[in-house]
Amino acid sequence: DVNTDSIVMKNTSMRHTEGGWPKDVDFTEQSDVTRFRKKAEKDESYHNAIKNLGPIVERCMKQNNTVDIYEQYFEDDRIEHCSEPPSAKGLAVFRDQSKIKRSATSINWHPEIK
């Protein structure tokens, strides 16, 4: 027998016609939107958030600048196919020593050292 605490859950929703604006901002009124944006852009946490997003956005942009694998780069390029079917083989098996069955939720091959 296991005693667990019960959790009260509540489902809520928000209608996103244009973003998640605060209740005191009417997004259909341009003056309200402009006033809110100016106020938010003066906040120090906004500047920190933008600075932290920079490397993430840069990485995403670089991913989108990859080579188009479907573009025909060479006119007379002949494709030679190998007659052997592709194959793969497992190099290591990790076994969970716990008696309780559980699944892996995250695998980190190269943890970042902090």
Side-chain angles (χ1 to χ4, degrees):
D1 290 326
V2 177
N3 292 329
T4 59
D5 295 331
S6 60
I7 297 174
V8 178
M9 298 181 78
K10 178 182 174 186
N11 290 330
T12 60
S13 63
M14 176 185 277
R15 184 173 177 211
H16 285 280
T17 52
E18 186 188 307
W21 296 98
K23 291 181 181 180
D24 60 332
V25 176
D26 181 10
F27 68 89
T28 59
E29 289 293 328
Q30 187 63 35
S31 61
D32 286 358
V33 172
T34 304
R35 188 178 325 111
F36 176 77
R37 284 187 176 155
K38 284 183 181 179
K39 181 181 173 186
E41 288 170 359
K42 289 180 182 178
D43 190 9
E44 185 64 31
S45 62
Y46 174 81
H47 291 281
N48 292 333
I50 296 299
K51 287 178 186 176
N52 292 336
L53 283 174
I56 297 168
V57 171
E58 182 181 12
R59 182 176 54 88
C60 293
M61 288 172 54
K62 286 180 178 178
Q63 286 177 345
N64 287 330
N65 289 333
T66 57
V67 175
D68 182 6
I69 62 171
Y70 299 106
E71 184 176 340
Q72 184 69 32
Y73 289 100
F74 306 102
E75 293 295 326
D76 297 330
D77 190 21
R78 290 188 179 187
I79 300 173
E80 295 182 19
H81 294 284
C82 181
S83 61
E84 296 178 18
S87 64
K89 128 178 149 174
L91 299 177
V93 175
F94 299 100
R95 300 207 187 275
D96 187 0
Q97 301 298 320
S98 175
K99 293 180 181 178
I100 299 171
K101 297 292 182 192
R102 53 191 177 172
S103 60
T105 58
S106 175
I107 297 175
N108 191 350
W109 298 110
H110 297 284
E112 293 188 23
I113 300 170
K114 293 183 180 181

